[in-house]
Amino acid sequence: MGIALATAVIAVLGTLLGSIVSGLFQHKSADRTERVARGQELRRDQLEAVTALATAISDHRRAMWMRGDAKLKGGTQARIEELRGESHMTRSAVTRPLVALRILVTDQTVRAAADRMVTVTYAMRNAYESTAVLTEAREAAKVAHDDFVDVAGAFLEQTAR
């Protein structure tokens, strides 16, 4: 009887130990799955912030070009005011994705490229001296935009691994 009882106790302990080990493995697996899902969600949000900022700044660059071009070509005051209002709206539209990028992307290289892109694009408002100066400012803004996209793309590629 003693041997049968010892065998039963060992069997019960083995079963309990197996359940505990199995539960630990399941818990670790669930944690890993959750971490991967959070990482994918963060990456998706980062990509959205980068894309939204690049799009908003492109819209603002276009609006600033049109405003400056109209002013340089002697557009009517009504048209210049209309374009001024549009450029104010596009500038305002830059704020949300810029804030999202600053919250979601802590990489200083990406942030610096974003700041440069925004600063160079905003500086177009000071380039209404001539078409050549305005064109030069627009080209500088395009280069800063492309640099930002390249830097952000490299960051996102690196974090995907």
Side-chain angles (χ1 to χ4, degrees):
M1 173 97 171
I3 294 177
L5 183 61
T7 304
V9 167
I10 290 172
V12 168
L13 289 176
T15 301
L16 288 173
L17 183 60
S19 295
I20 290 170
V21 169
S22 176
L24 287 174
F25 282 131
Q26 287 177 352
H27 182 69
K28 283 187 175 207
S29 176
D31 284 349
R32 192 175 316 116
T33 300
E34 186 178 325
R35 268 194 317 276
V36 167
R38 276 194 314 258
Q40 288 173 340
E41 184 178 339
L42 174 60
R43 186 172 189 286
R44 184 178 54 250
D45 291 347
Q46 289 170 331
L47 177 60
E48 174 58 30
V50 166
T51 304
L53 180 57
T55 300
I57 208 70
S58 291
D59 291 345
H60 185 60
R61 183 181 62 241
R62 182 193 60 76
M64 293 303 292
W65 169 264
M66 290 179 63
R67 179 179 165 188
D69 190 51
K71 189 173 183 179
L72 290 168
K73 290 182 177 174
T76 66
Q77 189 61 33
R79 177 67 177 147
I80 291 171
E81 284 302 314
E82 176 186 337
L83 292 170
R84 182 173 182 251
E86 182 181 331
S87 70
H88 286 189
M89 288 176 43
T90 58
R91 181 176 174 141
S92 178
V94 170
T95 303
R96 184 179 186 281
L98 182 59
V99 169
L101 181 114
R102 288 184 182 281
I103 291 170
L104 296 169
V105 178
T106 58
D107 183 84
Q108 293 305 310
T109 307
V110 175
R111 286 179 164 199
D115 290 344
R116 182 174 180 280
M117 174 184 66
V118 170
T119 300
V120 170
T121 302
Y122 286 177
M124 286 179 68
R125 75 175 173 268
N126 300 321
Y128 296 163
E129 300 167 28
S130 69
T131 301
V133 172
L134 182 59
T135 300
E136 185 178 315
R138 179 178 65 176
E139 290 308 311
K142 285 180 180 181
V143 168
H145 174 274
D146 292 345
D147 288 347
F148 166 71
V149 170
D150 291 344
V151 167
F155 167 77
L156 290 170
E157 183 179 327
Q158 179 185 19
T159 59
R161 295 178 192 162

